[in-house]
Amino acid sequence: MNTSHPIAENSIGSPTLEQHVTGPHWELPSISNATTYWRCTSCNRESIREEDLYRPTFHTADCEVHEC
């Protein structure tokens, strides 16, 4: 995680999570309204807000991060 982005107060904040959060990723410029996003490599969920990935409810039930 980028240290300039604070972890949400209700976050999981585990080393496993740090290993699975990747980004920012940039969408192709040919996509209208292209933006950056972050992804959990365990459950493949994506969000344009990095802090979403630090909330347990964001991940799928079978995600390694969710099980922490």
Side-chain angles (χ1 to χ4, degrees), residues 12 14 16-17 63-68:
I12 342 174
S14 69
T16 303
L17 178 62
C63 178
E64 289 179 36
V65 173
H66 187 269
E67 296 170 359
C68 293

Side-chain angles (χ1 to χ4, degrees), residues 12-49:
I12 342 174
S14 69
T16 303
L17 178 62
E18 297 295 322
Q19 294 170 356
H20 290 289
V21 173
T22 63
H25 303 279
W26 291 270
E27 292 180 322
L28 298 173
S30 58
I31 298 173
S32 62
N33 298 325
T35 187
T36 58
Y37 62 93
W38 284 260
R39 176 186 300 130
C40 173
T41 59
S42 180
C43 63
N44 291 318
R45 287 207 170 166
E46 300 172 346
S47 177
I48 60 171
R49 293 179 303 273

